[in-house]
PDB file of all heavy atoms in Angstrom:
ATOM      1  N   SER A   1       2.330 -13.222  40.489  1.00 27.00           N
ATOM      2  CA  SER A   1       1.323 -13.758  41.395  1.00 27.00           C
ATOM      3  C   SER A   1       0.570 -12.655  42.124  1.00 27.00           C
ATOM      4  O   SER A   1      -0.425 -12.914  42.778  1.00 27.00           O
ATOM      5  CB  SER A   1       1.968 -14.700  42.404  1.00 27.00           C
ATOM      6  OG  SER A   1       2.944 -14.025  43.160  1.00 27.00           O
ATOM      7  N   ALA A   2       1.036 -11.395  42.008  1.00 32.00           N
ATOM      8  CA  ALA A   2       0.329 -10.297  42.641  1.00 32.00           C
ATOM      9  C   ALA A   2      -0.953  -9.932  41.899  1.00 32.00           C
ATOM     10  O   ALA A   2      -1.803  -9.238  42.426  1.00 32.00           O
ATOM     11  CB  ALA A   2       1.232  -9.057  42.716  1.00 32.00           C
ATOM     12  N   VAL A   3      -1.098 -10.393  40.664  1.00 37.00           N
ATOM     13  CA  VAL A   3      -2.319 -10.136  39.919  1.00 37.00           C
ATOM     14  C   VAL A   3      -3.469 -10.859  40.604  1.00 37.00           C
ATOM     15  O   VAL A   3      -3.271 -11.848  41.288  1.00 37.00           O
ATOM     16  CB  VAL A   3      -2.155 -10.631  38.473  1.00 37.00           C
ATOM     17  CG1 VAL A   3      -3.377 -10.259  37.633  1.00 37.00           C
ATOM     18  CG2 VAL A   3      -0.912 -10.025  37.853  1.00 37.00           C
ATOM     19  N   ARG A   4      -4.678 -10.382  40.409  1.00 39.00           N
ATOM     20  CA  ARG A   4      -5.858 -10.944  41.058  1.00 39.00           C
ATOM     21  C   ARG A   4      -5.843 -12.469  41.008  1.00 39.00           C
ATOM     22  O   ARG A   4      -5.937 -13.053  39.947  1.00 39.00           O
ATOM     23  CB  ARG A   4      -7.106 -10.449  40.352  1.00 39.00           C
ATOM     24  CG  ARG A   4      -7.168  -8.952  40.207  1.00 39.00           C
ATOM     25  CD  ARG A   4      -8.183  -8.562  39.184  1.00 39.00           C
ATOM     26  NE  ARG A   4      -7.836  -9.132  37.895  1.00 39.00           N
ATOM     27  CZ  ARG A   4      -8.615  -9.045  36.838  1.00 39.00           C
ATOM     28  NH1 ARG A   4      -9.762  -8.441  36.920  1.00 39.00           N
ATOM     29  NH2 ARG A   4      -8.246  -9.578  35.695  1.00 39.00           N
ATOM     30  N   VAL A   5      -5.768 -13.096  42.136  1.00 34.00           N
ATOM     31  CA  VAL A   5      -5.707 -14.549  42.190  1.00 34.00           C
ATOM     32  C   VAL A   5      -7.002 -15.133  41.646  1.00 34.00           C
ATOM     33  O   VAL A   5      -8.085 -14.793  42.097  1.00 34.00           O
ATOM     34  CB  VAL A   5      -5.459 -15.028  43.628  1.00 34.00           C
ATOM     35  CG1 VAL A   5      -5.515 -16.545  43.689  1.00 34.00           C
ATOM     36  CG2 VAL A   5      -4.116 -14.520  44.127  1.00 34.00           C
ATOM     37  N   ALA A   6      -6.872 -16.027  40.677  1.00 39.00           N
ATOM     38  CA  ALA A   6      -7.985 -16.789  40.100  1.00 39.00           C
ATOM     39  C   ALA A   6      -9.024 -15.940  39.406  1.00 39.00           C
ATOM     40  O   ALA A   6     -10.106 -16.389  39.134  1.00 39.00           O
ATOM     41  CB  ALA A   6      -8.663 -17.656  41.159  1.00 39.00           C
ATOM     42  N   LYS A   7      -8.719 -14.694  39.081  1.00 54.00           N
ATOM     43  CA  LYS A   7      -9.712 -13.855  38.420  1.00 54.00           C
ATOM     44  C   LYS A   7      -9.657 -13.996  36.914  1.00 54.00           C
ATOM     45  O   LYS A   7     -10.667 -14.045  36.247  1.00 54.00           O
ATOM     46  CB  LYS A   7      -9.533 -12.397  38.815  1.00 54.00           C
ATOM     47  CG  LYS A   7     -10.663 -11.523  38.313  1.00 54.00           C
ATOM     48  CD  LYS A   7     -10.711 -10.238  39.079  1.00 54.00           C
ATOM     49  CE  LYS A   7     -11.923  -9.428  38.710  1.00 54.00           C
ATOM     50  NZ  LYS A   7     -11.883  -8.946  37.354  1.00 54.00           N
ATOM     51  N   THR A   8      -8.459 -14.036  36.365  1.00 53.00           N
ATOM     52  CA  THR A   8      -8.303 -14.301  34.947  1.00 53.00           C
ATOM     53  C   THR A   8      -7.234 -15.358  34.791  1.00 53.00           C
ATOM     54  O   THR A   8      -6.588 -15.764  35.735  1.00 53.00           O
ATOM     55  CB  THR A   8      -7.923 -13.019  34.179  1.00 53.00           C
ATOM     56  OG1 THR A   8      -6.756 -12.469  34.756  1.00 53.00           O
ATOM     57  CG2 THR A   8      -9.039 -11.994  34.219  1.00 53.00           C
ATOM     58  N   LEU A   9      -6.990 -15.806  33.594  1.00 52.00           N
ATOM     59  CA  LEU A   9      -6.149 -16.977  33.392  1.00 52.00           C
ATOM     60  C   LEU A   9      -4.731 -16.802  33.896  1.00 52.00           C
ATOM     61  O   LEU A   9      -4.178 -17.693  34.517  1.00 52.00           O
ATOM     62  CB  LEU A   9      -6.117 -17.325  31.909  1.00 52.00           C
ATOM     63  CG  LEU A   9      -7.464 -17.660  31.286  1.00 52.00           C
ATOM     64  CD1 LEU A   9      -7.280 -17.991  29.824  1.00 52.00           C
ATOM     65  CD2 LEU A   9      -8.126 -18.810  32.006  1.00 52.00           C
ATOM     66  N   LEU A  10      -4.106 -15.679  33.646  1.00 45.00           N
ATOM     67  CA  LEU A  10      -2.726 -15.477  34.058  1.00 45.00           C
ATOM     68  C   LEU A  10      -2.534 -15.615  35.561  1.00 45.00           C
ATOM     69  O   LEU A  10      -1.675 -16.369  36.003  1.00 45.00           O
ATOM     70  CB  LEU A  10      -2.226 -14.104  33.585  1.00 45.00           C
ATOM     71  CG  LEU A  10      -0.825 -13.691  34.029  1.00 45.00           C
ATOM     72  CD1 LEU A  10       0.217 -14.661  33.517  1.00 45.00           C
ATOM     73  CD2 LEU A  10      -0.516 -12.283  33.561  1.00 45.00           C
ATOM     74  N   PRO A  11      -3.327 -14.918  36.406  1.00 46.00           N
ATOM     75  CA  PRO A  11      -3.108 -15.097  37.841  1.00 46.00           C
ATOM     76  C   PRO A  11      -3.400 -16.505  38.334  1.00 46.00           C
ATOM     77  O   PRO A  11      -2.787 -16.969  39.274  1.00 46.00           O
ATOM     78  CB  PRO A  11      -4.054 -14.075  38.471  1.00 46.00           C
ATOM     79  CG  PRO A  11      -5.017 -13.710  37.410  1.00 46.00           C
ATOM     80  CD  PRO A  11      -4.287 -13.858  36.112  1.00 46.00           C
ATOM     81  N   VAL A  12      -4.350 -17.177  37.722  1.00 42.00           N
ATOM     82  CA  VAL A  12      -4.628 -18.542  38.140  1.00 42.00           C
ATOM     83  C   VAL A  12      -3.402 -19.409  37.949  1.00 42.00           C
ATOM     84  O   VAL A  12      -2.987 -20.156  38.826  1.00 42.00           O
ATOM     85  CB  VAL A  12      -5.807 -19.116  37.326  1.00 42.00           C
ATOM     86  CG1 VAL A  12      -5.972 -20.593  37.624  1.00 42.00           C
ATOM     87  CG2 VAL A  12      -7.097 -18.381  37.676  1.00 42.00           C
ATOM     88  N   ILE A  13      -2.779 -19.291  36.795  1.00 42.00           N
ATOM     89  CA  ILE A  13      -1.601 -20.095  36.510  1.00 42.00           C
ATOM     90  C   ILE A  13      -0.455 -19.695  37.430  1.00 42.00           C
ATOM     91  O   ILE A  13       0.195 -20.525  38.039  1.00 42.00           O
ATOM     92  CB  ILE A  13      -1.198 -19.938  35.034  1.00 42.00           C
ATOM     93  CG1 ILE A  13      -2.281 -20.559  34.143  1.00 42.00           C
ATOM     94  CG2 ILE A  13       0.136 -20.601  34.751  1.00 42.00           C
ATOM     95  CD1 ILE A  13      -2.086 -20.299  32.686  1.00 42.00           C
ATOM     96  N   ALA A  14      -0.225 -18.396  37.537  1.00 38.00           N
ATOM     97  CA  ALA A  14       0.906 -17.929  38.321  1.00 38.00           C
ATOM     98  C   ALA A  14       0.748 -18.262  39.797  1.00 38.00           C
ATOM     99  O   ALA A  14       1.726 -18.398  40.521  1.00 38.00           O
ATOM    100  CB  ALA A  14       1.073 -16.417  38.155  1.00 38.00           C
ATOM    101  N   ALA A  15      -0.484 -18.384  40.262  1.00 36.00           N
ATOM    102  CA  ALA A  15      -0.719 -18.647  41.681  1.00 36.00           C
ATOM    103  C   ALA A  15      -0.817 -20.129  41.988  1.00 36.00           C
ATOM    104  O   ALA A  15      -1.266 -20.517  43.053  1.00 36.00           O
ATOM    105  CB  ALA A  15      -2.004 -17.939  42.127  1.00 36.00           C
ATOM    106  N   GLY A  16      -0.399 -20.958  41.049  1.00 35.00           N
ATOM    107  CA  GLY A  16      -0.413 -22.389  41.304  1.00 35.00           C
ATOM    108  C   GLY A  16      -1.808 -22.986  41.298  1.00 35.00           C
ATOM    109  O   GLY A  16      -2.102 -23.941  41.997  1.00 35.00           O
ATOM    110  N   TRP A  17      -2.701 -22.382  40.496  1.00 33.00           N
ATOM    111  CA  TRP A  17      -4.049 -22.919  40.331  1.00 33.00           C
ATOM    112  C   TRP A  17      -4.841 -22.922  41.633  1.00 33.00           C
ATOM    113  O   TRP A  17      -5.602 -23.815  41.917  1.00 33.00           O
ATOM    114  CB  TRP A  17      -3.993 -24.340  39.745  1.00 33.00           C
ATOM    115  CG  TRP A  17      -3.258 -24.344  38.462  1.00 33.00           C
ATOM    116  CD1 TRP A  17      -1.965 -24.714  38.256  1.00 33.00           C
ATOM    117  CD2 TRP A  17      -3.740 -23.887  37.208  1.00 33.00           C
ATOM    118  NE1 TRP A  17      -1.634 -24.528  36.935  1.00 33.00           N
ATOM    119  CE2 TRP A  17      -2.692 -24.041  36.283  1.00 33.00           C
ATOM    120  CE3 TRP A  17      -4.952 -23.390  36.762  1.00 33.00           C
ATOM    121  CZ2 TRP A  17      -2.830 -23.695  34.946  1.00 33.00           C
ATOM    122  CZ3 TRP A  17      -5.094 -23.050  35.443  1.00 33.00           C
ATOM    123  CH2 TRP A  17      -4.042 -23.193  34.551  1.00 33.00           C
ATOM    124  N   ASN A  18      -4.665 -21.858  42.416  1.00 35.00           N
ATOM    125  CA  ASN A  18      -5.442 -21.727  43.642  1.00 35.00           C
ATOM    126  C   ASN A  18      -6.795 -21.115  43.306  1.00 35.00           C
ATOM    127  O   ASN A  18      -6.989 -19.913  43.370  1.00 35.00           O
ATOM    128  CB  ASN A  18      -4.692 -20.836  44.642  1.00 35.00           C
ATOM    129  CG  ASN A  18      -5.470 -20.657  45.922  1.00 35.00           C
ATOM    130  OD1 ASN A  18      -6.408 -21.376  46.192  1.00 35.00           O
ATOM    131  ND2 ASN A  18      -5.070 -19.677  46.708  1.00 35.00           N
ATOM    132  N   VAL A  19      -7.746 -21.951  42.921  1.00 39.00           N
ATOM    133  CA  VAL A  19      -9.035 -21.436  42.500  1.00 39.00           C
ATOM    134  C   VAL A  19     -10.059 -21.378  43.634  1.00 39.00           C
ATOM    135  O   VAL A  19     -11.149 -20.871  43.451  1.00 39.00           O
ATOM    136  CB  VAL A  19      -9.617 -22.293  41.341  1.00 39.00           C
ATOM    137  CG1 VAL A  19      -8.705 -22.233  40.150  1.00 39.00           C
ATOM    138  CG2 VAL A  19      -9.833 -23.725  41.787  1.00 39.00           C
ATOM    139  N   ALA A  20      -9.697 -21.866  44.789  1.00 37.00           N
ATOM    140  CA  ALA A  20     -10.682 -21.971  45.863  1.00 37.00           C
ATOM    141  C   ALA A  20     -11.101 -20.619  46.410  1.00 37.00           C
ATOM    142  O   ALA A  20     -12.139 -20.507  47.038  1.00 37.00           O
ATOM    143  CB  ALA A  20     -10.120 -22.830  46.991  1.00 37.00           C
ATOM    144  N   CYS A  21     -10.303 -19.563  46.165  1.00 43.00           N
ATOM    145  CA  CYS A  21     -10.626 -18.272  46.758  1.00 43.00           C
ATOM    146  C   CYS A  21     -11.765 -17.575  46.027  1.00 43.00           C
ATOM    147  O   CYS A  21     -12.321 -16.618  46.531  1.00 43.00           O
ATOM    148  CB  CYS A  21      -9.397 -17.374  46.748  1.00 43.00           C
ATOM    149  SG  CYS A  21      -8.867 -16.946  45.087  1.00 43.00           S
ATOM    150  N   ALA A  22     -12.126 -18.020  44.848  1.00 49.00           N
ATOM    151  CA  ALA A  22     -13.184 -17.377  44.086  1.00 49.00           C
ATOM    152  C   ALA A  22     -14.513 -18.059  44.345  1.00 49.00           C
ATOM    153  O   ALA A  22     -14.603 -19.271  44.383  1.00 49.00           O
ATOM    154  CB  ALA A  22     -12.858 -17.430  42.602  1.00 49.00           C
ATOM    155  N   GLN A  23     -15.536 -17.241  44.537  1.00 49.00           N
ATOM    156  CA  GLN A  23     -16.875 -17.764  44.718  1.00 49.00           C
ATOM    157  C   GLN A  23     -17.716 -17.269  43.550  1.00 49.00           C
ATOM    158  O   GLN A  23     -17.861 -16.067  43.357  1.00 49.00           O
ATOM    159  CB  GLN A  23     -17.463 -17.276  46.038  1.00 49.00           C
ATOM    160  CG  GLN A  23     -16.623 -17.685  47.240  1.00 49.00           C
ATOM    161  CD  GLN A  23     -17.057 -16.974  48.499  1.00 49.00           C
ATOM    162  OE1 GLN A  23     -17.971 -16.162  48.483  1.00 49.00           O
ATOM    163  NE2 GLN A  23     -16.394 -17.284  49.595  1.00 49.00           N
ATOM    164  N   ASP A  24     -18.273 -18.183  42.759  1.00 53.00           N
ATOM    165  CA  ASP A  24     -19.007 -17.810  41.559  1.00 53.00           C
ATOM    166  C   ASP A  24     -20.502 -17.993  41.768  1.00 53.00           C
ATOM    167  O   ASP A  24     -20.948 -18.841  42.525  1.00 53.00           O
ATOM    168  CB  ASP A  24     -18.574 -18.675  40.372  1.00 53.00           C
ATOM    169  CG  ASP A  24     -17.107 -18.466  40.033  1.00 53.00           C
ATOM    170  OD1 ASP A  24     -16.570 -17.404  40.411  1.00 53.00           O
ATOM    171  OD2 ASP A  24     -16.516 -19.346  39.405  1.00 53.00           O
ATOM    172  N   ALA A  25     -21.261 -17.209  41.020  1.00 54.00           N
ATOM    173  CA  ALA A  25     -22.706 -17.369  41.012  1.00 54.00           C
ATOM    174  C   ALA A  25     -23.227 -16.903  39.661  1.00 54.00           C
ATOM    175  O   ALA A  25     -22.631 -16.048  39.016  1.00 54.00           O
ATOM    176  CB  ALA A  25     -23.350 -16.543  42.133  1.00 54.00           C
TER     177      ALA A  25
END
């Protein structure tokens, strides 16, 4: 879970799908 949260697939899964921290444009 220390990998970049929600940046690539592995951290998204490991972090419990916490995608709210990423802002896309």
Side-chain angles (χ1 to χ4, degrees):
S1 60
V3 185
R4 308 164 300 174
V5 175
K7 188 161 187 293
T8 56
L9 300 180
L10 176 61
V12 172
I13 293 172
W17 303 100
N18 179 15
V19 298
C21 65
Q23 301 169 359
D24 297 338

